[in-house]
Amino acid sequence: MDRIIFYVMVCLGFCISINNAQASDNAVILLYHHVSEDTPSSTSVSPDTFNEHMTYLAENFNVLPLKDIVTALQNKQSLPENAIAVTFDDGFNNIYQNGHPILAKLNLPYTVFINPDLVGKVNYHLSWEAMRAMTKQGASFANHNLRHEHLLNRLTNESDEAWLARRLSDIQQAEKLLEDNLNVQDKFLAYPYGEYSPELQTQLTQLGYVSFAQHSGAIASFSDFSALPRFPAAGIYANLARLKVKMASLAMPVQDPSPSTPLVSGEPFTFEFSVQSDDINNAQITCFFQGDAQKITVNQALVRVDFKQKLPAGRSRINCTAPSKRAPSRYYWYSKPWFIASDKGEWLD
């Protein structure tokens, strides 16, 4: 999918400018993990590439604190054009060693989602001392659960109620540690591995959390604040020429996705959603799964994708895009994730 959008971008020419009415209710969140050449390639970006990304953002975008973007959208307040936030998951030391100096030099704010129970217990995680130093130069910190584990995993013979209570307890313990050590009070949670369930979404929203996932897409005031999308920007997604398209993307105004849950059996099924926008020609919506364009049926506002194949265990997602009528080089973007346990009932890394 990235390759197709890249070639379309080349043909049309890249253009950041957009109608103010669109830009005022739109933002993008980027997701990184490692800034290093010595860590897993799938979740890593080299310091040189990261510097290239951040320099481009500093010159072309309004890089804002994550809290400012979320607060504005929740309150339906206008954002500057090309609003974007930078986030990291897992709290690795190399963020401080290699990423922070670049961000501080460019005076860019960013947010790191950490696992508080790992602080001081593993050598790869940031220390409280390092995090306090980073906070003085534009960093903020948020909840990534107490430990980095699959929230969907259950103990043997654990009931639904006991599982949910245990997970919520871990998340709230992590929040307390963040407040005690860094005075964090935002109640932002990034789901480990990007995995969540409707039960978690409902309970966390009732507790006042805004939650972030790992599927793609821009965000707007109509987004689901219990599972906000973020664009991965490392590994195979680190190419800046292709990442520019995502940085400039628009939140697709999707309604009534079905099935609404990300938890499916994996058996073939039909996925449907509705799109009504005077800036989108629904006939131009294209959906991709595992890099392949899917056959879709469009009936006025309704978009339908029939999955003939069985979905694999683990995490997968469908990405749907459509060019803006007013700014054809910018794409509306919608992603729907699915989480499928293995035959043994395990959730895969």
Side-chain angles (χ1 to χ4, degrees):
M1 182 186 61
D2 285 347
R3 185 181 299 111
I4 293 171
I5 292 177
F6 175 63
Y7 287 129
V8 172
M9 179 193 75
V10 170
C11 293
L12 293 173
F14 182 71
C15 177
I16 287 292
S17 63
I18 185 171
N19 179 280
N20 283 334
Q22 292 175 311
S24 65
D25 188 22
N26 197 82
V28 165
I29 307 172
L30 298 181
L31 167 62
Y32 296 90
H33 288 81
H34 295 280
V35 183
S36 173
E37 295 180 306
D38 303 316
T39 46
S41 59
S42 61
T43 54
S44 299
V45 62
S46 71
D48 286 346
T49 298
F50 186 71
N51 183 64
E52 181 186 24
H53 289 187
M54 294 304 106
T55 300
Y56 179 79
L57 289 183
E59 293 174 350
N60 295 281
F61 283 79
N62 285 296
V63 183
L64 302 177
L66 184 62
K67 182 177 181 179
D68 290 3
I69 287 176
V70 169
T71 300
L73 294 179
Q74 284 184 312
N75 292 289
K76 301 187 185 300
Q77 297 171 342
S78 295
L79 283 167
E81 286 191 29
N82 308 314
I84 198 165
V86 177
T87 68
F88 296 87
D89 280 4
D90 302 345
F92 293 111
N93 273 326
N94 56 62
I95 301 169
Y96 184 37
Q97 296 160 349
N98 302 325
H100 176 74
I102 294 168
L103 290 153
K105 177 188 67 176
L106 295 169
N107 196 30
L108 300 181
Y110 65 100
T111 297
V112 185
F113 292 93
I114 69 161
N115 305 111
D117 193 49
L118 300 185
V119 178
K121 297 181 180 178
V122 294
N123 60 12
Y124 59 79
H125 199 287
L126 292 163
S127 67
W128 294 120
E129 181 181 11
M131 287 186 274
R132 293 186 191 104
M134 294 162 74
T135 301
K136 295 176 181 177
Q137 291 183 290
S140 61
F141 294 88
N143 197 334
H144 199 35
N145 191 44
L146 196 60
R147 294 165 294 275
H148 196 273
E149 55 191 359
H150 295 274
L151 296 184
L152 299 178
N153 269 347
R154 301 188 180 218
L155 302 177
T156 303
N157 298 323
E158 187 175 36
S159 68
D160 292 348
E161 294 77 12
W163 163 79
L164 186 58
R166 178 169 60 88
R167 289 312 188 193
L168 293 174
S169 175
D170 282 353
I171 289 167
Q172 292 183 92
Q173 287 182 60
E175 197 69 25
K176 183 64 165 58
L177 287 169
L178 281 160
E179 182 178 0
D180 290 347
N181 288 278
L182 300 173
N183 196 32
V184 170
Q185 300 180 18
D186 296 332
K187 284 194 170 183
F188 287 176
L189 170 76
Y191 298 111
Y193 301 99
E195 296 169 348
Y196 57 92
S197 71
E199 294 82 6
L200 275 172
Q201 290 176 274
T202 298
Q203 290 299 312
L204 289 168
T205 298
Q206 291 178 1
L207 290 169
Y209 285 86
V210 172
S211 303
F212 302 82
Q214 294 186 12
H215 55 286
S216 304
I219 62 173
S221 61
F222 52 76
S223 295
D224 180 357
F225 287 84
S226 69
L228 290 171
R230 296 179 291 167
F231 281 107
I236 61 174
Y237 305 108
N239 181 282
L240 181 58
R242 297 173 182 174
L243 189 59
K244 287 177 182 179
V245 180
K246 299 172 183 178
M247 292 175 176
S249 66
L250 303 166
M252 188 179 290
V254 166
Q255 296 179 323
D256 305 318
S258 176
S260 59
T261 177
L263 303 176
V264 294
S265 67
E267 295 301 321
F269 66 100
T270 296
F271 177 56
E272 297 180 336
F273 59 91
S274 296
V275 177
Q276 297 188 56
S277 170
D278 62 4
D279 195 41
I280 297 175
N281 178 354
N282 283 15
Q284 292 184 296
I285 293 175
T286 306
C287 295
F288 298 84
F289 182 73
Q290 295 183 329
D292 295 326
Q294 299 297 297
K295 182 179 179 180
I296 68 173
T297 303
V298 178
N299 183 5
Q300 297 181 343
L302 184 66
V303 180
R304 173 175 175 153
V305 185
D306 290 309
F307 282 96
K308 305 299 184 183
Q309 72 273 44
K310 184 175 181 179
L311 271 62
R315 296 177 295 280
S316 57
R317 62 190 178 194
I318 190 168
N319 290 328
C320 298
T321 62
S324 162
K325 292 180 182 179
R326 291 187 285 267
S329 61
R330 296 191 73 170
Y331 281 78
Y332 286 90
W333 197 297
Y334 171 66
S335 180
K336 174 68 178 179
W338 288 297
F339 313 130
I340 301 170
S342 71
D343 292 339
K344 297 180 179 180
E346 298 173 339
W347 299 94
L348 306 178
D349 291 350

